[in-house]
Amino acid sequence: MTPPMDADVLVLGAGAAGIAAARRLRALGRSCLVLEAGTRVGGRAWTDAAGLDLGASWLHVAEANPLTALARELGFTPYDDGRRRRDILLAAGRPASAADRAAYEAACDAWEAAVAVRAAAGGPDTSLGEAAPRGGRWDATVNHWFGAIINGVESERSSLIDYVATVLDGQNLMVREGIGTLVARLAEGLPIRLGARVQRLAAGMVAETGAGEFRGRAAIVTLGTGVLPELVFDPPLPEVVTRAIAGLPLAPVMKVALRAAGEERFGLPPFARLGRMIEGPGDRPCSWVLWPFGRPWAMAYIGGRLADSLPDAASAEAAARAELARYFGAAAVARVFPEPATVAHWPADPLFRGGYSYAHVGAAGARAVLARAAPMEGKLRFAGEACHTRYAGTVGGAWESGEAAAEAVSAALG
Ligand SMILES: Cc1cc2nc3c(=O)[nH]c(=O)nc-3n(C[C@H](O)[C@H](O)[C@H](O)COP(=O)(O)OP(=O)(O)OC[C@H]3O[C@@H](n4cnc5c(N)ncnc54)[C@H](O)[C@@H]3O)c2cc1C
């Protein structure tokens, strides 16, 4: 006798995409069961007990972001610090002058314009770095900022066409209560099974986990592309789909949060963003936001080859402290931040293995392939940030892709 169905649709993963899919399925009158490997919901949207957003911290392109309205409806407090870029505090090891800062801003504008022009010119895909200006006093610094920091990998490693197609313009909002808190609130009341790591998804929509088997009539897979290759599909996925997944790896981004024990704030206001000029080949600064919402935290954001070189939390903390010491001195950093850091080492986390997706050079079409893939007679769909062709890498993009996948499988169920 065939065991009974657990739900119309199995949703794999309770991050933003999985939660959005489950909510939309419920609105469409479909039963669903969300299978989440971890012990919490939200995935890469995670606010810890101290109120720190250790994954996503901005609602990017807030005016088009579905989570902006949801945050307001739920009484959350979005906040715009009005800045798009970091403040340059150090140039060639000295405090940056007004002229340095103006030159940096101008170089950022020139970088964005050059990249857009090169992409609009058409032709085969190339690396973002190939299109970027070079040789100017600030070019390496700007390239590091848009590449390793914003995109999570050096611009030499990612696709120009994908970067331009998914570039995040518009307003960026932080949320006082935390983006992770917001996403978790939106999951309330949904049928979510925690601690259910799906190892195999077999014909007949049977999800095999360490916590038993679950059956559905359709499935939506929202695992990030860092771990998606570990999930066994039976029958195997079409080659075009596995190739698309391989073309969209996760950038190695991580966060280190240091808490100031006393009142010292280095004379910097809430939300201060620290940046400095790159001082030569191999110099790879991280980026900082200090005192968000007036809280006593300094948050380092580490990406690219620097993140690649930091295998664990201890090395990430040491790198963050060394970087902060360049601004304030090692003694002051040790005195102001005496406690061990909170480290979110996403690349080392076996449920993620990275921060957010970028496209390899030549893989610019991969997001659309993954978003449209409909194997198993359309009853299997993919969702998640990597599937969004415009807002990839974001919570809002993950949310929209989850909703779209829910619509698609519901239609396929007839
Ligand atoms: C440091 C950092 C900073 C970021 N900053 C921003 C930002 O400011 N703004 C922004 O919009 N975005 C940001 N992002 C990206 C954003 O967090 C993600 O794009 C988004 O949260 C991804 O949601 P998702 O649902 O696609 O995937 P995920 O959140 O990864 O959800 C997938 C879920 O699947 C689960 N899972 C994994 N394997 C299995 C399995 N085998 N079986 C069952 N479940 C499994 C995972 O535990 C996870 O909960 C940031 C990310 C990081 C890491």
Side-chain angles (χ1 to χ4, degrees), residues 238-252:
E239 210 245 320
V240 65
V241 178
T242 49
R243 209 171 339 114
I245 294 167
L248 297 168
L250 294 197

Side-chain angles (χ1 to χ4, degrees), residues 13 15-17 35-37 43-44 55-58 60 198 352 384-385 393-395:
L35 299 171
E36 165 58 48
R44 285 170 274 166
S57 44
W58 280 277
H60 292 299
V198 182
F352 303 95
E385 54 88 7
T394 72
V395 183

Side-chain angles (χ1 to χ4, degrees), residues 99-406:
D100 287 327
R101 291 175 198 200
Y104 168 72
E105 285 296 325
C108 284
D109 292 343
W111 188 99
E112 289 184 300
V115 159
V117 166
R118 175 70 185 270
D125 196 11
T126 179
S127 77
L128 182 56
E130 188 72 21
R134 58 189 86 189
R137 184 167 181 251
W138 286 96
D139 285 344
T141 303
V142 172
N143 205 36
H144 180 75
W145 166 244
F146 283 112
I149 301 295
I150 301 283
N151 215 24
V153 288
E154 280 71 15
S155 58
E156 289 67 30
R157 297 160 75 181
S158 62
S159 151
L160 169 68
I161 293 177
D162 181 72
Y163 177 87
V164 170
T166 59
V167 74
L168 298 173
D169 43 17
Q171 195 185 21
N172 296 318
L173 296 178
M174 292 180 111
V175 176
R176 178 182 285 277
E177 297 81 359
I179 293 199
T181 308
L182 170 64
V183 172
R185 179 75 61 83
L186 290 163
E188 283 177 7
L190 295 172
I192 299 176
R193 175 88 184 229
L194 297 176
R197 182 174 191 174
V198 182
Q199 288 141 358
R200 187 163 174 268
L201 188 61
M205 292 308 170
V206 182
E208 299 174 6
T209 78
E213 286 186 359
F214 298 90
R215 286 167 190 276
R217 296 166 57 214
I220 298 174
V221 175
T222 75
L223 279 53
T225 49
V227 290
L228 196 44
E230 295 167 30
L231 180 61
V232 176
F233 291 87
D234 179 15
L237 294 174
E239 210 245 320
V240 65
V241 178
T242 49
R243 209 171 339 114
I245 294 167
L248 297 168
L250 294 197
V253 297
M254 56 185 74
K255 282 187 177 174
V256 177
L258 293 165
R259 195 177 80 85
E263 298 306 313
E264 175 66 75
R265 297 294 180 266
F266 304 121
L268 293 169
F271 302 103
R273 297 187 189 186
L274 308 190
R276 64 176 180 84
M277 179 183 250
I278 284 190
E279 291 178 7
D283 183 19
R284 301 187 174 106
C286 55
S287 172
W288 290 90
V289 175
L290 266 53
W291 330 130
F293 299 100
R295 294 172 185 149
W297 291 92
M299 305 282 295
Y301 183 97
I302 306 176
R305 300 250 182 251
L306 175 60
D308 280 335
S309 72
L310 304 170
D312 50 28
S315 56
E317 174 171 354
R321 284 181 179 274
E323 178 66 20
L324 206 52
R326 298 178 81 126
Y327 296 88
F328 308 117
V333 170
R335 178 172 39 81
V336 173
F337 305 103
E339 299 160 13
T342 299
V343 178
H345 197 304
W346 295 94
D349 189 322
L351 298 185
F352 303 95
R353 302 200 195 284
Y356 42 78
S357 62
Y358 68 101
H360 280 314
V361 177
R367 301 189 192 283
V369 170
L370 201 50
R372 286 195 211 114
M376 301 195 191
E377 294 161 355
K379 305 235 173 75
L380 172 60
R381 302 291 299 217
F382 294 91
E385 54 88 7
C387 300
H388 205 288
T389 54
R390 178 65 190 89
Y391 301 123
T394 72
V395 183
W399 191 267
E400 286 189 352
S401 87
E403 292 186 328

